[in-house]
Amino acid sequence: MLGRLNHVAIAVRDAEKAAKIYGAAFGAEISAAVPLPEHGVITVFVTLPNTKIEFIQPIGEASPISKFIERNADGGIHHICYDVPDIIAARDRLIAEGARVLGDGVPRIGAHGKPVLFLHPKDFSGALVEIEQA
Ligand code: CO
């Protein structure tokens, strides 16, 4: 049920600026900035051979990552995202095993145009987990 590591997300004040060093120093492929108003963030992806780094920047004070940025002024690792073959089946099994799904439990469309859900960090060793339909 658990697929590959889709991405590691790092929350920052300025996603384009944060991604730049990966392009300049590592020669990595950097995406354009993509605003996701429904999620309250702007994203910039760094593509690696085996996964991606997702820089996320808050849009406005109501953004779900605003408080995280207040606590981590220099940025910090915010969540990890795993592929799952069937997000509804994964959600139902996670709930049956006692994991908490954040929000109303209905998948939303994420940065790659695919459905995503977030899982409570207290159920995953302190790490916020995102699952994405592969
Ligand atoms: Co993500």
PDB file of all heavy atoms in Angstrom, residues 90-113:
ATOM      1  N   ALA A  90      -6.422   3.611   1.050  1.00  0.00           N
ATOM      2  CA  ALA A  90      -5.380   3.907   2.044  1.00  0.00           C
ATOM      3  C   ALA A  90      -5.992   4.635   3.237  1.00  0.00           C
ATOM      4  O   ALA A  90      -5.712   4.307   4.394  1.00  0.00           O
ATOM      5  CB  ALA A  90      -4.276   4.744   1.406  1.00  0.00           C
ATOM      6  N   ARG A  91      -6.830   5.638   2.968  1.00  0.00           N
ATOM      7  CA  ARG A  91      -7.475   6.398   4.049  1.00  0.00           C
ATOM      8  C   ARG A  91      -8.298   5.482   4.950  1.00  0.00           C
ATOM      9  O   ARG A  91      -8.190   5.529   6.187  1.00  0.00           O
ATOM     10  CB  ARG A  91      -8.381   7.485   3.445  1.00  0.00           C
ATOM     11  CG  ARG A  91      -9.169   8.270   4.486  1.00  0.00           C
ATOM     12  CD  ARG A  91     -10.334   9.010   3.881  1.00  0.00           C
ATOM     13  NE  ARG A  91     -11.327   8.071   3.351  1.00  0.00           N
ATOM     14  CZ  ARG A  91     -12.358   8.435   2.600  1.00  0.00           C
ATOM     15  NH1 ARG A  91     -12.536   9.702   2.268  1.00  0.00           N
ATOM     16  NH2 ARG A  91     -13.210   7.544   2.167  1.00  0.00           N
ATOM     17  N   ASP A  92      -9.098   4.647   4.339  1.00  0.00           N
ATOM     18  CA  ASP A  92      -9.995   3.799   5.127  1.00  0.00           C
ATOM     19  C   ASP A  92      -9.199   2.807   5.979  1.00  0.00           C
ATOM     20  O   ASP A  92      -9.557   2.539   7.128  1.00  0.00           O
ATOM     21  CB  ASP A  92     -10.977   3.075   4.202  1.00  0.00           C
ATOM     22  CG  ASP A  92     -11.959   4.056   3.551  1.00  0.00           C
ATOM     23  OD1 ASP A  92     -12.011   5.231   3.998  1.00  0.00           O
ATOM     24  OD2 ASP A  92     -12.649   3.666   2.592  1.00  0.00           O
ATOM     25  N   ARG A  93      -8.100   2.295   5.417  1.00  0.00           N
ATOM     26  CA  ARG A  93      -7.281   1.358   6.184  1.00  0.00           C
ATOM     27  C   ARG A  93      -6.550   2.078   7.324  1.00  0.00           C
ATOM     28  O   ARG A  93      -6.452   1.550   8.440  1.00  0.00           O
ATOM     29  CB  ARG A  93      -6.292   0.680   5.242  1.00  0.00           C
ATOM     30  CG  ARG A  93      -5.492  -0.396   5.924  1.00  0.00           C
ATOM     31  CD  ARG A  93      -4.857  -1.315   4.908  1.00  0.00           C
ATOM     32  NE  ARG A  93      -3.765  -2.065   5.515  1.00  0.00           N
ATOM     33  CZ  ARG A  93      -2.928  -2.828   4.846  1.00  0.00           C
ATOM     34  NH1 ARG A  93      -3.059  -2.948   3.535  1.00  0.00           N
ATOM     35  NH2 ARG A  93      -1.968  -3.472   5.458  1.00  0.00           N
ATOM     36  N   LEU A  94      -6.055   3.282   7.045  1.00  0.00           N
ATOM     37  CA  LEU A  94      -5.376   4.065   8.079  1.00  0.00           C
ATOM     38  C   LEU A  94      -6.328   4.354   9.242  1.00  0.00           C
ATOM     39  O   LEU A  94      -5.972   4.205  10.409  1.00  0.00           O
ATOM     40  CB  LEU A  94      -4.854   5.386   7.488  1.00  0.00           C
ATOM     41  CG  LEU A  94      -3.590   5.232   6.632  1.00  0.00           C
ATOM     42  CD1 LEU A  94      -3.459   6.379   5.638  1.00  0.00           C
ATOM     43  CD2 LEU A  94      -2.353   5.158   7.523  1.00  0.00           C
ATOM     44  N   ILE A  95      -7.551   4.767   8.902  1.00  0.00           N
ATOM     45  CA  ILE A  95      -8.547   5.072   9.944  1.00  0.00           C
ATOM     46  C   ILE A  95      -8.862   3.806  10.744  1.00  0.00           C
ATOM     47  O   ILE A  95      -8.925   3.838  11.976  1.00  0.00           O
ATOM     48  CB  ILE A  95      -9.818   5.693   9.322  1.00  0.00           C
ATOM     49  CG1 ILE A  95      -9.498   7.101   8.793  1.00  0.00           C
ATOM     50  CG2 ILE A  95     -10.957   5.748  10.337  1.00  0.00           C
ATOM     51  CD1 ILE A  95     -10.591   7.729   7.942  1.00  0.00           C
ATOM     52  N   ALA A  96      -9.013   2.685  10.036  1.00  0.00           N
ATOM     53  CA  ALA A  96      -9.308   1.413  10.713  1.00  0.00           C
ATOM     54  C   ALA A  96      -8.189   1.022  11.671  1.00  0.00           C
ATOM     55  O   ALA A  96      -8.429   0.380  12.696  1.00  0.00           O
ATOM     56  CB  ALA A  96      -9.531   0.309   9.674  1.00  0.00           C
ATOM     57  N   GLU A  97      -6.942   1.439  11.344  1.00  0.00           N
ATOM     58  CA  GLU A  97      -5.784   1.119  12.193  1.00  0.00           C
ATOM     59  C   GLU A  97      -5.573   2.171  13.283  1.00  0.00           C
ATOM     60  O   GLU A  97      -4.595   2.130  14.019  1.00  0.00           O
ATOM     61  CB  GLU A  97      -4.520   0.988  11.337  1.00  0.00           C
ATOM     62  CG  GLU A  97      -4.525  -0.235  10.425  1.00  0.00           C
ATOM     63  CD  GLU A  97      -4.565  -1.560  11.192  1.00  0.00           C
ATOM     64  OE1 GLU A  97      -4.001  -1.622  12.298  1.00  0.00           O
ATOM     65  OE2 GLU A  97      -5.187  -2.517  10.690  1.00  0.00           O
ATOM     66  N   GLY A  98      -6.466   3.177  13.333  1.00  0.00           N
ATOM     67  CA  GLY A  98      -6.409   4.157  14.413  1.00  0.00           C
ATOM     68  C   GLY A  98      -5.682   5.449  14.086  1.00  0.00           C
ATOM     69  O   GLY A  98      -5.523   6.308  14.950  1.00  0.00           O
ATOM     70  N   ALA A  99      -5.231   5.621  12.854  1.00  0.00           N
ATOM     71  CA  ALA A  99      -4.568   6.873  12.474  1.00  0.00           C
ATOM     72  C   ALA A  99      -5.620   7.949  12.223  1.00  0.00           C
ATOM     73  O   ALA A  99      -6.731   7.653  11.784  1.00  0.00           O
ATOM     74  CB  ALA A  99      -3.715   6.664  11.225  1.00  0.00           C
ATOM     75  N   ARG A 100      -5.238   9.191  12.530  1.00  0.00           N
ATOM     76  CA  ARG A 100      -6.152  10.309  12.326  1.00  0.00           C
ATOM     77  C   ARG A 100      -5.839  11.036  11.020  1.00  0.00           C
ATOM     78  O   ARG A 100      -4.688  11.390  10.765  1.00  0.00           O
ATOM     79  CB  ARG A 100      -6.061  11.293  13.485  1.00  0.00           C
ATOM     80  CG  ARG A 100      -6.734  10.772  14.740  1.00  0.00           C
ATOM     81  CD  ARG A 100      -6.310  11.543  15.956  1.00  0.00           C
ATOM     82  NE  ARG A 100      -4.983  11.140  16.395  1.00  0.00           N
ATOM     83  CZ  ARG A 100      -4.376  11.623  17.479  1.00  0.00           C
ATOM     84  NH1 ARG A 100      -4.969  12.538  18.213  1.00  0.00           N
ATOM     85  NH2 ARG A 100      -3.174  11.199  17.819  1.00  0.00           N
ATOM     86  N   VAL A 101      -6.878  11.247  10.224  1.00  0.00           N
ATOM     87  CA  VAL A 101      -6.752  12.005   8.981  1.00  0.00           C
ATOM     88  C   VAL A 101      -7.152  13.440   9.285  1.00  0.00           C
ATOM     89  O   VAL A 101      -8.161  13.674   9.955  1.00  0.00           O
ATOM     90  CB  VAL A 101      -7.662  11.398   7.885  1.00  0.00           C
ATOM     91  CG1 VAL A 101      -7.618  12.231   6.618  1.00  0.00           C
ATOM     92  CG2 VAL A 101      -7.258   9.953   7.602  1.00  0.00           C
ATOM     93  N   LEU A 102      -6.363  14.402   8.850  1.00  0.00           N
ATOM     94  CA  LEU A 102      -6.665  15.806   9.137  1.00  0.00           C
ATOM     95  C   LEU A 102      -7.791  16.313   8.245  1.00  0.00           C
ATOM     96  O   LEU A 102      -8.022  15.794   7.155  1.00  0.00           O
ATOM     97  CB  LEU A 102      -5.411  16.667   8.945  1.00  0.00           C
ATOM     98  CG  LEU A 102      -4.213  16.311   9.846  1.00  0.00           C
ATOM     99  CD1 LEU A 102      -3.092  17.329   9.662  1.00  0.00           C
ATOM    100  CD2 LEU A 102      -4.629  16.244  11.318  1.00  0.00           C
ATOM    101  N   GLY A 103      -8.481  17.346   8.718  1.00  0.00           N
ATOM    102  CA  GLY A 103      -9.575  17.949   7.951  1.00  0.00           C
ATOM    103  C   GLY A 103     -10.792  17.037   7.930  1.00  0.00           C
ATOM    104  O   GLY A 103     -11.009  16.242   8.839  1.00  0.00           O
ATOM    105  N   ASP A 104     -11.570  17.158   6.856  1.00  0.00           N
ATOM    106  CA  ASP A 104     -12.814  16.386   6.781  1.00  0.00           C
ATOM    107  C   ASP A 104     -12.614  14.987   6.192  1.00  0.00           C
ATOM    108  O   ASP A 104     -13.579  14.246   6.001  1.00  0.00           O
ATOM    109  CB  ASP A 104     -13.879  17.172   5.989  1.00  0.00           C
ATOM    110  CG  ASP A 104     -13.417  17.500   4.572  1.00  0.00           C
ATOM    111  OD1 ASP A 104     -12.372  16.967   4.134  1.00  0.00           O
ATOM    112  OD2 ASP A 104     -14.112  18.295   3.908  1.00  0.00           O
ATOM    113  N   GLY A 105     -11.352  14.642   5.877  1.00  0.00           N
ATOM    114  CA  GLY A 105     -11.075  13.304   5.375  1.00  0.00           C
ATOM    115  C   GLY A 105     -11.344  13.127   3.893  1.00  0.00           C
ATOM    116  O   GLY A 105     -11.156  12.040   3.345  1.00  0.00           O
ATOM    117  N   VAL A 106     -11.783  14.205   3.248  1.00  0.00           N
ATOM    118  CA  VAL A 106     -12.020  14.137   1.800  1.00  0.00           C
ATOM    119  C   VAL A 106     -10.750  14.607   1.089  1.00  0.00           C
ATOM    120  O   VAL A 106     -10.259  15.702   1.367  1.00  0.00           O
ATOM    121  CB  VAL A 106     -13.212  15.033   1.382  1.00  0.00           C
ATOM    122  CG1 VAL A 106     -13.412  15.004  -0.125  1.00  0.00           C
ATOM    123  CG2 VAL A 106     -14.477  14.600   2.114  1.00  0.00           C
ATOM    124  N   PRO A 107     -10.167  13.781   0.206  1.00  0.00           N
ATOM    125  CA  PRO A 107      -8.933  14.185  -0.468  1.00  0.00           C
ATOM    126  C   PRO A 107      -9.111  15.489  -1.256  1.00  0.00           C
ATOM    127  O   PRO A 107     -10.159  15.714  -1.854  1.00  0.00           O
ATOM    128  CB  PRO A 107      -8.646  13.017  -1.419  1.00  0.00           C
ATOM    129  CG  PRO A 107      -9.383  11.855  -0.848  1.00  0.00           C
ATOM    130  CD  PRO A 107     -10.600  12.436  -0.193  1.00  0.00           C
ATOM    131  N   ARG A 108      -8.083  16.329  -1.195  1.00  0.00           N
ATOM    132  CA  ARG A 108      -8.061  17.553  -2.003  1.00  0.00           C
ATOM    133  C   ARG A 108      -7.028  17.386  -3.101  1.00  0.00           C
ATOM    134  O   ARG A 108      -6.120  16.567  -2.976  1.00  0.00           O
ATOM    135  CB  ARG A 108      -7.652  18.739  -1.135  1.00  0.00           C
ATOM    136  CG  ARG A 108      -8.601  18.929   0.013  1.00  0.00           C
ATOM    137  CD  ARG A 108      -8.952  20.375   0.202  1.00  0.00           C
ATOM    138  NE  ARG A 108      -9.974  20.434   1.245  1.00  0.00           N
ATOM    139  CZ  ARG A 108      -9.905  21.233   2.291  1.00  0.00           C
ATOM    140  NH1 ARG A 108      -8.880  22.035   2.427  1.00  0.00           N
ATOM    141  NH2 ARG A 108     -10.880  21.241   3.172  1.00  0.00           N
ATOM    142  N   ILE A 109      -7.138  18.210  -4.117  1.00  0.00           N
ATOM    143  CA  ILE A 109      -6.163  18.156  -5.210  1.00  0.00           C
ATOM    144  C   ILE A 109      -4.904  18.902  -4.769  1.00  0.00           C
ATOM    145  O   ILE A 109      -4.962  20.066  -4.373  1.00  0.00           O
ATOM    146  CB  ILE A 109      -6.762  18.764  -6.493  1.00  0.00           C
ATOM    147  CG1 ILE A 109      -7.988  17.951  -6.952  1.00  0.00           C
ATOM    148  CG2 ILE A 109      -5.705  18.797  -7.601  1.00  0.00           C
ATOM    149  CD1 ILE A 109      -7.728  16.471  -7.190  1.00  0.00           C
ATOM    150  N   GLY A 110      -3.762  18.206  -4.820  1.00  0.00           N
ATOM    151  CA  GLY A 110      -2.497  18.777  -4.370  1.00  0.00           C
ATOM    152  C   GLY A 110      -1.706  19.406  -5.495  1.00  0.00           C
ATOM    153  O   GLY A 110      -2.224  19.675  -6.584  1.00  0.00           O
ATOM    154  N   ALA A 111      -0.421  19.629  -5.244  1.00  0.00           N
ATOM    155  CA  ALA A 111       0.443  20.384  -6.149  1.00  0.00           C
ATOM    156  C   ALA A 111       0.651  19.690  -7.495  1.00  0.00           C
ATOM    157  O   ALA A 111       1.035  20.331  -8.458  1.00  0.00           O
ATOM    158  CB  ALA A 111       1.786  20.632  -5.481  1.00  0.00           C
ATOM    159  N   HIS A 112       0.414  18.375  -7.550  1.00  0.00           N
ATOM    160  CA  HIS A 112       0.645  17.673  -8.816  1.00  0.00           C
ATOM    161  C   HIS A 112      -0.659  17.324  -9.519  1.00  0.00           C
ATOM    162  O   HIS A 112      -0.683  16.455 -10.381  1.00  0.00           O
ATOM    163  CB  HIS A 112       1.453  16.390  -8.570  1.00  0.00           C
ATOM    164  CG  HIS A 112       2.671  16.618  -7.758  1.00  0.00           C
ATOM    165  ND1 HIS A 112       2.814  16.164  -6.467  1.00  0.00           N
ATOM    166  CD2 HIS A 112       3.793  17.316  -8.029  1.00  0.00           C
ATOM    167  CE1 HIS A 112       3.971  16.565  -5.995  1.00  0.00           C
ATOM    168  NE2 HIS A 112       4.583  17.263  -6.914  1.00  0.00           N
ATOM    169  N   GLY A 113      -1.735  17.981  -9.099  1.00  0.00           N
ATOM    170  CA  GLY A 113      -3.025  17.705  -9.725  1.00  0.00           C
ATOM    171  C   GLY A 113      -3.616  16.373  -9.320  1.00  0.00           C
ATOM    172  O   GLY A 113      -4.522  15.862  -9.970  1.00  0.00           O
TER     173      GLY A 113
END
